[in-house]
Amino acid sequence: MAHQTMSAVAVQSRIDVECEKYTKRIDSGELTLSHAHTVLTNSDAYNMDLFKIAGLAKAFACFQCSAD
């Protein structure tokens, strides 16, 4: 049986911190959406933890997706 070690609020807070970092990098042109996609599909090669992966995915979605 797995035991929850972190609250959903704490997890979301850490994801949001990473998302903000990636959003700034994408917005400034330092990170392209194409490269962000490559990083997400090869996260092991980039040595990313779950919070970085989720933050990048959230930032990517903010640029790629519409609210509809």
Side-chain angles (χ1 to χ4, degrees):
M1 178 193 223
H3 297 284
Q4 184 174 343
T5 58
M6 185 179 267
S7 73
V9 171
V11 168
Q12 190 61 57
S13 177
R14 289 185 63 181
I15 291 169
D16 287 343
V17 167
E18 294 300 328
C19 178
E20 183 65 28
K21 291 177 190 175
Y22 287 117
T23 297
K24 287 178 182 176
R25 291 181 63 196
I26 293 169
D27 197 41
S28 73
E30 177 187 345
L31 179 63
T32 66
L33 292 176
S34 177
H35 186 68
H37 180 265
T38 298
V39 171
L40 284 171
T41 57
N42 298 291
S43 58
D44 288 343
Y46 289 90
N47 197 27
M48 297 174 70
D49 64 32
L50 286 174
F51 301 107
K52 285 182 173 45
I53 295 167
L56 180 54
K58 186 174 180 177
F60 186 82
C62 290
F63 285 90
Q64 284 290 106
C65 301
S66 67
D68 318 323

